[in-house]
Amino acid sequence: VEVLRSIPPVVESEVLLGQYGKSEDGTLPSYLDDDTVPKGSKTATFAAATFHINNPRWEGVPFVLKCGKALDQQKVEIRIQFKDMGNNLFQKEVAARNELVIRVQPEEAVYLKMTQKLPGLGMETVRSELDLSYASRFTNLSVPDAYENLILDAIMGEQSNFVRSDELDEAWRIFTPVLHKIDRGQVPVEVYPYGSRGPKQLAEFVAQFGFERGSQSYSWPETSQTAASAGASAAAAASDSKL
């Protein structure tokens, strides 16, 4: 609640709304194709909003919230992007920014994406990560769904994961002014293709707050647990042979 009280109301210039249309290949329907949706509806199915926390710890750090339907991925995560160094040895277009990612669901994980120099005499860089994926680290445990925890808390009378009334009041204070402007049609709603990342203005929207999408391609490594175990066993055997 103390943090929420340090956040001024969101303004319409820092909000981006979207509504999904047909997929680019035309096979998936648009929001307006639903028979229960009024023709010409301007209801948003995507929103990005930025807020600021005016306290000593978070002063000057923008927080961009994004959520939407019919996107390319279904996930919940917190992505913290670190700023560029002023005297970086590598060119900016080569060395992408480091990011700390907290994946809430699915496939819970915490990992640090970082740019590192390839070993050797050259100056080539590659994207790598420090990875704590729950599925591979805690193979003998079952991670309950978020709603499973909440239902159990409700049964047990545990209230720590539920919203307090004063917390709810502060949250409505932050968003109510811009919600009224959205209801009056003062915030435009852009159409985006079903299965995309969202409105095409999204990259420009996040860029104005200092967030950059890395120019270096990156794909999450698919590592077989069996192969990893076999590799570890081989390494142990080699170590024993040297002893």
Side-chain angles (χ1 to χ4, degrees):
V1 175
E2 183 179 349
V3 172
L4 291 177
R5 287 172 179 165
S6 301
I7 303 174
V10 174
V11 296
E12 65 271 23
S13 61
E14 296 186 343
V15 173
L16 175 65
L17 300 180
Q19 182 188 96
Y20 69 86
K22 288 183 180 293
S23 58
E24 293 183 348
D25 59 7
T27 59
L28 298 174
S30 70
Y31 177 74
L32 297 178
D33 288 335
D34 192 315
D35 294 335
T36 63
V37 175
K39 300 300 181 184
S41 171
K42 295 297 183 182
T43 298
T45 61
F46 174 93
T50 303
F51 65 85
H52 311 271
I53 303 177
N54 294 331
N55 65 15
R57 173 169 292 185
W58 298 111
E59 190 77 38
V61 179
F63 289 78
V64 182
L65 278 68
K66 297 185 294 181
C67 63
K69 296 179 179 294
L71 301 178
D72 60 339
Q73 297 183 62
Q74 185 175 353
K75 62 182 179 180
V76 178
E77 67 181 19
I78 302 167
R79 185 175 296 269
I80 304 167
Q81 186 176 91
F82 297 95
K83 294 182 177 180
D84 294 318
M85 292 180 60
N87 56 346
N88 199 334
L89 291 175
F90 303 94
Q91 297 179 358
K92 183 178 180 180
E93 59 270 17
V94 174
R97 291 179 174 180
N98 297 336
E99 291 182 344
L100 175 63
V101 182
I102 304 170
R103 174 70 65 85
V104 179
Q105 66 175 9
E107 300 176 355
E108 296 85 348
V110 180
Y111 59 95
L112 179 65
K113 288 172 57 178
M114 56 186 177
T115 299
Q116 63 184 52
K117 191 183 89 66
L118 281 174
L121 301 178
M123 293 295 285
E124 295 182 66
T125 61
V126 65
R127 294 285 272 164
S128 186
E129 69 286 316
L130 294 174
D131 171 28
L132 168 59
S133 294
Y134 278 44
S136 58
R137 179 62 180 87
F138 305 106
T139 56
N140 59 331
L141 297 177
S142 175
V143 180
D145 182 85
Y147 285 106
E148 292 181 61
N149 280 325
L150 289 179
I151 292 172
L152 179 61
D153 286 348
I155 294 173
M156 301 297 294
E158 169 60 53
Q159 302 182 35
S160 60
N161 287 322
F162 292 84
V163 178
R164 285 182 357 196
S165 59
D166 53 349
E167 181 181 354
L168 192 60
D169 289 340
E170 289 300 318
W172 278 110
R173 175 190 61 79
I174 295 169
F175 284 99
T176 294
V178 75
L179 289 176
H180 285 167
K181 293 184 178 181
I182 291 173
D183 289 340
R184 293 194 293 265
Q186 295 177 252
V187 182
V189 179
E190 309 294 336
V191 176
Y192 61 93
Y194 194 120
S196 66
R197 294 179 59 87
K200 61 180 180 180
Q201 297 91 336
L202 180 59
E204 181 180 347
F205 176 82
V206 297
Q208 67 178 314
F209 303 107
F211 185 89
E212 292 184 1
R213 292 202 64 193
S215 58
Q216 218 179 36
S217 61
Y218 176 84
S219 59
W220 183 256
E222 297 293 339
T223 303
S224 168
Q225 189 70 22
T226 303
S229 301
S233 300
S239 177
D240 292 341
S241 65
K242 290 180 181 178
L243 292 176

